[in-house]
């Protein structure tokens, strides 16, 4: 209630201060929310920008500079699958399979939802370096994570062919055809394995 004394301005002054405090709190909250939502977008933008720049540099043959940008993209956004895939590829091209594997293994840890895709990439990296036993293990894990993925099943069977383990390949193609009956690629794979060697009776490698 206002004072009857015309010279008393205490109540309006208090109301003014309250309005000022409320406005200041609202402004602080607005800034905080803006920072909260803008920062992830800013990080994402920077990561995508680094990835795109790295991709362009790789296409132009500047692999060292591309490597630097892909490292930046992964550092900004550790779960960035495409950047990790590209970074592993660059490491492979540079003759550094250990860092390629480490890049993918860390990606699998920080983004477990992408585990199957990382297992496939790990298997492919092992194949490039003729680590056939490890490749087979990673494909097996990927196959178990997604039993309906035809491409992974095929890649797993083809590892044995790459090794020249035709009996194991024959067994793998038989298992493939149980999941994908009458598949043309599976039938061709089985025929290849039969031409190169018969499986041991009652024994699967």
């Amino acid at each position: 209630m206002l004072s009857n004394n015309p010279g008393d301005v205490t109540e309006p002054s208090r109301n003014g201060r309250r309005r000022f405090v409320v406005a200041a709190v609202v402004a602080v909250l607005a800034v905080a929310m803006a920072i909260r939502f803008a920062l992830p977008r800013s990080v994402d933008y920077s990561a995508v920008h680094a990835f795109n720049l790295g991709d362009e540099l790789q296409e132009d043959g500047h692999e060292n500079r591309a490597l630097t940008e892909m490292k930046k993209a992964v550092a900004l956004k550790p779960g960035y699958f495409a950047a990790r895939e590209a970074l592993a590829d660059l490491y492979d091209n540079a003759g550094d399979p250990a860092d390629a594997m480490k890049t993918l293994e860390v990606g699998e840890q920080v983004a477990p939802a992408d585990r199957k895709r990382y297992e496939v990439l790990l298997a492919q990296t092992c194949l490039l370096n003729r680590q056939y036993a490890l490749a087979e293990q990673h494909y097996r894990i990927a196959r178990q994570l997604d039993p309906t993925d035809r491409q992974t099943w095929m890649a797993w069977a083809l590892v044995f062919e790459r090794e020249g383990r035709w009996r194991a390949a024959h067994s793998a193609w038989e298992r493939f055809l149980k999941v994908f009956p009458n598949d043309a690629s599976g039938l061709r794979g089985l025929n290849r394995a039969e031409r190169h060697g018969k499986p041991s009776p009652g024994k699967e490698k």
Side-chain angles (χ1 to χ4, degrees):
M1 182 175 179
L2 295 177
S3 172
N4 292 327
N5 185 350
D8 191 348
V9 293
T10 302
E11 192 64 29
S13 296
R14 287 177 181 171
N15 287 338
R17 285 198 298 272
R18 288 194 192 102
R19 284 195 295 271
F20 175 78
V21 170
V22 170
V25 170
V26 170
V28 169
L29 288 174
V31 170
M33 292 296 289
I35 292 173
R36 178 184 174 185
F37 288 104
L39 185 58
R41 284 198 294 269
S42 176
V43 169
D44 285 350
Y45 173 82
S46 298
V48 171
H49 177 72
F51 170 78
N52 289 336
L53 181 55
D55 191 47
E56 290 175 7
L57 288 166
Q58 186 177 13
E59 286 185 4
D60 292 339
H62 304 296
E63 300 233 335
N64 288 336
R65 291 169 61 194
L67 190 67
T68 299
E69 293 301 323
M70 288 303 176
K71 285 181 181 178
K72 187 186 300 181
V74 167
L76 287 166
K77 191 175 181 182
Y80 195 168
F81 178 83
R84 283 196 177 272
E85 181 181 18
L87 181 57
D89 183 55
L90 286 163
Y91 277 131
D92 269 328
N93 292 345
D96 191 354
D99 276 337
M101 294 288 286
K102 184 178 179 181
T103 295
L104 298 173
E105 287 166 351
V106 171
E108 189 174 51
Q109 292 169 7
V110 299
D114 287 325
R115 187 185 177 196
K116 183 247 178 174
R117 293 201 292 172
Y118 278 114
E119 286 295 332
V120 170
L121 291 181
L122 285 163
Q124 291 171 350
T125 300
C126 290
L127 273 180
L128 285 173
N129 295 282
R130 299 183 180 181
Q131 297 175 309
Y132 298 118
L134 281 175
E136 189 271 328
Q137 288 175 20
H138 285 297
Y139 274 132
R140 184 187 300 170
I141 293 170
R143 179 169 56 80
Q144 291 169 348
L145 289 168
D146 185 2
T148 64
D149 187 341
R150 176 178 173 274
Q151 291 301 117
T152 301
W153 274 90
M154 286 184 62
W156 172 71
L158 287 168
V159 171
F160 299 114
E161 292 193 16
R162 291 277 296 273
E163 284 186 281
R165 295 174 58 196
W166 292 104
R167 292 180 179 179
H170 188 282
S171 177
W173 285 119
E174 282 185 327
R175 293 179 65 182
F176 173 90
L177 286 166
K178 287 179 182 178
V179 182
F180 306 98
N182 302 316
D183 182 274
S185 295
L187 292 171
R188 285 195 296 271
L190 189 64
N191 288 334
R192 277 195 308 275
E194 286 177 346
R195 287 198 306 271
H196 287 83
K198 296 289 183 180
S200 299
K203 185 176 181 180
E204 179 182 295
K205 289 187 179 180

